[in-house]
Amino acid sequence: MILCEWKNFSTDTETYTQDVFEELVEDEFEAMMFEEGTDFPAYIWTVNYVCLIKKNTRMISDIQITKIHRNPVCQ
């Protein structure tokens, strides 16, 4: 499901609000996609990036955010 409005999500160590996320990735939120049966988004689109959200589980539930440029410059 793709949402155009922010939906807060949490891990064991952090609650991600729109303000926290935008500060973390240094860009403005545009949309997010949740896969069925998950508590956090799989992808978050910002003005300049597509952010891949992966579960990073050891002893506690946490996530890893990978930023990919939306419009890469190829020369």
Side-chain angles (χ1 to χ4, degrees):
M1 164 182 16
I2 295 180
L3 304 173
C4 294
E5 292 183 17
W6 182 265
K7 178 181 175 186
N8 291 344
F9 60 96
S10 298
T11 64
D12 288 344
T13 59
E14 183 79 45
T15 296
Y16 293 89
T17 63
Q18 184 172 347
D19 290 336
V20 168
F21 181 79
E22 288 178 345
E23 186 175 317
L24 182 66
V25 298
E26 299 175 337
D27 206 3
E28 289 183 44
F29 166 81
E30 287 194 336
M32 60 193 337
M33 185 182 101
F34 284 82
E35 292 180 344
E36 191 172 321
T38 61
D39 297 330
F40 58 89
Y43 303 96
I44 299 176
W45 287 266
T46 65
V47 172
N48 296 299
Y49 300 100
V50 175
C51 299
L52 306 169
I53 313 299
K54 298 204 180 216
K55 194 170 192 174
N56 186 14
T57 304
R58 292 184 185 130
M59 297 297 278
I60 58 173
S61 175
D62 201 8
I63 60 171
Q64 174 184 351
I65 300 172
T66 304
K67 296 188 323 185
I68 300 171
H69 281 279
R70 286 178 73 166
N71 299 305
V73 177
C74 298
Q75 296 182 359

